[in-house]
Amino acid sequence: MSGEIRIIPVRGIPEIRPGDDLAALTAAALQAGGLELADGDVVVVAQKAFSKAGGHLVKLAEVTPSALASSFAELYAKDARQVEVVLREARRIVRMERGVLIVETRHGLVCANAGVDASNIEGEGAVSLLPPEPDADCEKLRSALSAAAGGVRLAVVMSDTFGRPWREGQTNIAIGVAGMDPMRSYVGQVDPYGYELRVTSLCAADELAAAAELVMGKTDAVPVAIVRGYPFTNGDQGARAIVRPPERDLFR
Amino acid sequence: MSGEIRIIPVRGIPEIRPGDDLAALTAAALQAGGLELADGDVVVVAQKAFSKAGGHLVKLAEVTPSALASSFAELYAKDARQVEVVLREARRIVRMERGVLIVETRHGLVCANAGVDASNIEGEGAVSLLPPEPDADCEKLRSALSAAAGGVRLAVVMSDTFGRPWREGQTNIAIGVAGMDPMRSYVGQVDPYGYELRVTSLCAADELAAAAELVMGKTDAVPVAIVRGYPFTNGDQGARAIVRPPERDLFR
């Protein structure tokens, strides 16, 4: 039906290791699956794939916990070295209580444990970090995938799973964006009756990340999904444009 | 491709008026569009459709603003009657500053203006309220749509557009759910290396709402979308299960 959107899982991407070429692995998996990237596709890739390929990993054995990390860890039966890594990734502590550590990362993302994660990593005693330059990573991948697909117009979204205040459960959001404006603006638009719309700016990138997660799962090896049929607007604002500036943030 | 998900807009639903039968309007639009509901479909419906059909509207001319509403309105050049309606829909004020009014509604939803909205309503001087019983509304619609479609297994999600702390733009989330567990639990599951997963509970209902919004838009008359191919788990927890209990909420 016209206007329909498809969310297509890209299966067959092997375990990713530091130095791997994500574009090449994705292209190979697409080919093996009989898929071709099409003009206007949004390629959503899980943050963990970028973290691994980029080698953004820390060996816990090489971490000496600070006093702050040690006391918090002791209180809540956590690994002090892991808490230390979280504190090092933070530029602001948002909540540090009841065993929960929510921080603002250097990117301006507010999330539990600064996105530091021990799961889904081959080998022992390492944790992954959020990639330091998610938008640049997305642009590099977008450029390579587009070139390999004959220059088609693409967007790339790096997604990660975050919790949120007041609501249970987690959802995927966009922590990196290339090739599209992450927002869809309705500023100044009116409804059929002439009233200005209440909603002025939709975060399309976050919605694309959430949609893609529906086919990704957390134990299946599906780190990449194509969202096909969404008419995104070209742009290079990146996911950094989604981060609310402090002066406009009522929750600081 | 196996595992693919489709997001299908349901066009042709006319302007909704109080007393309208949402199930009948949806069924007629499906038929006119050559669509049939299939087993396992998730039907996502915009909150505004339920608000209108249920007559959850207030005529501003009948509202006398309180002193609190009047002073806030005067400070920020707002309609005092509209501010009054918002305050009446709130069970807690979360932020009331810099012209922004974020409250917790009686459902436990935290949102700007308690979801009270002047746009997309036929006629003058009325505002719509969030439906008081979103889960019940969803179940009633689910039951009717399923019966009309030969008893197929369906879920219904009522979606609305909310802002969020720390991030610009708004996204759609689920404020009502019927027929499915709103969460997808990974508690106790391990990754391929034997580690417990960091993500323990995915809010699938919110992700379905976000995905559906990609085909809905805000000025087009597409209040209903089908998300086809997502393997939801049966359940009757409702969207009330997504509301975090106060004792677990670090942002209170």
Side-chain angles (χ1 to χ4, degrees):
Chain A
M1 186 191 197
S2 83
E4 189 173 313
I5 287 177
R6 293 164 62 194
I7 314 171
I8 307 165
V10 180
R11 301 186 193 285
I13 292 178
E15 172 63 30
I16 294 165
R17 297 191 173 85
D20 275 352
D21 180 339
L22 267 186
L25 289 176
T26 302
L30 287 166
Q31 185 160 49
L35 288 171
E36 273 181 32
L37 287 175
D39 204 79
D41 277 353
V42 178
V43 183
V44 182
V45 184
Q47 165 267 129
K48 189 59 73 66
F50 285 100
S51 289
K52 290 181 184 178
H56 305 298
L57 304 167
V58 173
K59 289 192 171 73
L60 293 176
E62 296 170 10
V63 176
T64 307
S66 59
L68 177 59
S70 299
S71 22
F72 186 77
E74 193 178 332
L75 258 178
Y76 298 107
K78 293 187 181 296
D79 181 331
R81 303 164 305 170
Q82 207 162 319
V83 175
E84 177 62 23
V85 173
V86 172
L87 294 176
R88 290 180 188 176
E89 294 296 296
R91 75 178 176 195
R92 181 169 71 93
I93 305 297
V94 178
R95 289 291 186 276
M96 192 171 182
E97 57 183 279
R98 299 189 239 174
V100 178
L101 183 44
I102 298 169
V103 308
E104 179 187 333
T105 68
R106 283 189 295 277
H107 324 75
L109 302 168
V110 178
C111 57
N113 302 317
V116 172
D117 188 1
S119 64
N120 277 312
I121 302 173
E122 204 178 17
E124 298 266 346
V127 292
S128 66
L129 312 178
L130 292 183
E133 304 276 348
D135 290 332
D137 285 348
C138 286
E139 174 50 31
K140 184 176 161 203
L141 180 62
R142 188 205 64 73
S143 178
L145 287 175
S146 175
V152 291
R153 179 174 164 263
L154 297 177
V156 170
V157 170
M158 182 188 303
S159 67
D160 200 7
T161 314
F162 283 9
R164 54 270 172 85
W166 318 305
R167 291 177 82 68
E168 301 280 43
Q170 294 163 289
T171 59
N172 270 29
I173 62 161
I175 66 169
V177 176
M180 66 175 277
D181 184 344
M183 303 296 179
R184 196 165 80 240
S185 172
Y186 291 94
V187 171
Q189 289 192 39
V190 293
D191 67 19
Y193 310 105
Y195 284 90
E196 275 228 10
L197 295 180
R198 168 172 70 103
V199 175
T200 51
S201 185
L202 227 306
C203 187
D206 279 358
E207 295 196 323
L208 289 159
E213 198 290 321
L214 294 170
V215 303
M216 283 181 167
K218 289 293 155 205
T219 45
D220 292 339
V222 184
V224 180
I226 299 167
V227 183
R228 177 166 293 170
Y230 177 71
F232 62 83
T233 307
N234 281 0
D236 60 3
Q237 296 88 339
R240 60 193 173 282
I242 308 173
V243 174
R244 176 159 284 168
E247 63 274 12
R248 290 174 28 86
D249 185 349
L250 300 184
F251 291 91
R252 195 166 285 263
Chain B
M1 189 192 194
S2 82
E4 189 173 313
I5 288 177
R6 292 164 62 193
I7 314 171
I8 308 165
V10 180
R11 301 186 194 283
I13 292 179
E15 170 64 30
I16 294 165
R17 297 190 172 86
D20 275 353
D21 180 337
L22 269 186
L25 289 176
T26 304
L30 286 166
Q31 185 158 49
L35 287 171
E36 274 182 33
L37 287 175
D39 203 79
D41 276 355
V42 179
V43 183
V44 182
V45 183
Q47 164 269 131
K48 189 62 71 68
F50 285 101
S51 290
K52 289 180 183 179
H56 305 298
L57 305 167
V58 174
K59 289 191 171 75
L60 292 177
E62 296 170 10
V63 176
T64 307
S66 59
L68 177 60
S70 299
S71 23
F72 186 77
E74 193 179 331
L75 258 177
Y76 298 108
K78 294 186 179 295
D79 181 331
R81 303 163 307 169
Q82 208 162 321
V83 176
E84 177 62 22
V85 173
V86 172
L87 294 175
R88 290 179 188 176
E89 293 297 295
R91 74 177 177 195
R92 181 169 72 93
I93 305 297
V94 178
R95 291 289 185 276
M96 192 171 182
E97 57 183 277
R98 300 189 236 173
V100 178
L101 183 43
I102 298 169
V103 308
E104 179 187 331
T105 69
R106 283 190 295 278
H107 323 75
L109 302 168
V110 177
C111 57
N113 302 317
V116 172
D117 188 2
S119 64
N120 278 312
I121 302 173
E122 202 178 17
E124 297 265 347
V127 291
S128 66
L129 312 178
L130 292 182
E133 305 274 349
D135 290 332
D137 285 348
C138 287
E139 175 50 32
K140 184 175 161 206
L141 180 61
R142 189 206 64 74
S143 177
L145 287 175
S146 174
V152 291
R153 178 173 164 262
L154 297 177
V156 170
V157 169
M158 182 187 304
S159 67
D160 200 7
T161 315
F162 282 9
R164 54 272 174 82
W166 317 306
R167 291 177 80 71
E168 301 281 44
Q170 294 165 290
T171 58
N172 269 30
I173 60 161
I175 66 169
V177 176
M180 65 174 277
D181 184 343
M183 302 297 177
R184 195 164 83 238
S185 172
Y186 291 92
V187 172
Q189 291 193 37
V190 294
D191 68 17
Y193 310 103
Y195 285 90
E196 275 228 12
L197 295 181
R198 168 173 69 104
V199 175
T200 49
S201 184
L202 227 305
C203 187
D206 280 357
E207 295 196 324
L208 288 160
E213 198 290 319
L214 295 169
V215 303
M216 283 182 168
K218 290 290 153 212
T219 45
D220 292 340
V222 184
V224 180
I226 299 168
V227 183
R228 176 165 292 170
Y230 177 70
F232 63 82
T233 308
N234 281 0
D236 61 2
Q237 296 88 339
R240 61 194 174 281
I242 309 174
V243 174
R244 176 159 284 170
E247 64 273 11
R248 289 172 32 84
D249 185 349
L250 299 184
F251 292 91
R252 196 164 286 264

